Amino acid sequence: ALAANRAHSDGAPLSKMMVRAFNIWLADLFRRHNRDAVRFAARLVGDRDSGEEVVQNAWLRISARENAAPIEHPKTYLFTATRNAAIDFTLRRQREWSRRVDFDALADADLADSTLATYEHRHQLARLAVYLNELPTACRKAFIMNKLEGYSHPEIAERLGISISMVEKHMVRALLHCRSLMLADDQS
């Protein structure tokens, strides 16, 4: 396992040869899984160009990693880093969009008290957007139509051309998926 990182477990710096071996190992990991990682990231953030940027950010994070613990499951680690980079990318994009908002309309709002709450709300929404983008299209559409647009299960079934039972299955799948990922993120 060449995944030994920048320092030995006793904290001593790694030799140049070990750092070089790690960099070669990391480059090989990305070469082998880049296409799948970009596809995964593009699905999370909405387009291929942004997906490539997300994967590049994940690579930078992993290459700058200073933890001495070996990476036991490299592909899983890569995709987790990619998902985390996608969340950060989505938050960054939301901040950019929020700067385009007419702040004069917010003059009466008490922004000082709600800044942290607004940040946490936006972070939760960004996480939810990334989690939902991991779902199949029909499942994601059913969830959004129900939870965000207020459609009933029969209305969704009619609009998507599927049975009410299938809408219910999509809803359960989406809720379980988002819940399990949020719990996993909260624990890490």
Side-chain angles (χ1 to χ4, degrees):
L2 292 175
N5 295 320
R6 306 270 181 218
H8 289 290
S9 57
D10 64 0
L14 292 175
S15 69
K16 286 183 182 181
M17 186 175 359
M18 291 181 79
V19 169
R20 182 166 160 41
F22 174 74
N23 289 337
I24 290 169
W25 173 85
L26 184 60
D28 183 56
L29 174 70
F30 272 84
R31 216 177 352 268
R32 282 184 283 130
H33 301 293
N34 185 61
R35 185 178 312 151
D36 291 334
V38 169
R39 205 174 299 131
F40 174 68
R43 189 170 171 203
L44 297 177
V45 296
D47 65 271
R48 182 171 175 76
D49 289 340
S50 297
E52 288 176 358
E53 183 178 339
V54 165
V55 171
Q56 189 173 37
N57 289 340
W59 183 85
L60 289 171
R61 285 183 184 176
I62 294 173
S63 67
R65 183 175 179 260
E66 299 204 9
N67 184 351
I71 299 172
E72 294 181 25
H73 303 285
K75 185 176 179 182
T76 302
Y77 192 86
L78 168 63
F79 279 81
T80 300
T82 300
R83 181 168 13 107
N84 291 339
I87 290 170
D88 291 345
F89 178 87
T90 303
L91 285 170
R92 201 169 42 251
R93 186 187 303 173
Q94 284 181 340
R95 278 193 300 272
E96 290 171 6
W97 290 342
S98 72
R99 291 185 189 123
R100 298 177 190 156
V101 171
D102 179 15
F103 285 105
D104 294 333
L106 300 175
D108 296 332
D110 185 11
L111 295 177
D113 292 337
S114 66
T115 302
L116 181 59
T118 300
Y119 169 78
E120 289 174 356
H121 180 70
R122 286 183 179 163
H123 185 71
Q124 289 288 347
L125 284 175
R127 285 171 60 191
L128 180 61
V130 168
Y131 300 153
L132 289 176
N133 281 334
E134 293 177 357
L135 293 168
T137 304
C139 185
R140 180 176 59 247
K141 282 182 181 177
F143 182 84
I144 290 171
M145 289 174 76
N146 181 256
K147 297 298 182 186
L148 301 178
E149 297 172 3
Y151 289 100
S152 68
H153 290 191
E155 291 170 325
I156 295 168
E158 183 180 327
R159 286 182 181 256
L160 296 180
I162 58 177
S163 68
I164 295 172
S165 172
M166 187 49 121
V167 172
E168 292 167 351
K169 289 175 185 172
H170 284 325
M171 294 301 297
V172 168
R173 180 178 183 183
L175 290 169
L176 289 174
H177 176 75
C178 291
R179 184 175 142 227
S180 67
L181 290 175
M182 285 190 158
L183 288 173
D185 279 356
D186 290 343
Q187 292 174 356
S188 58

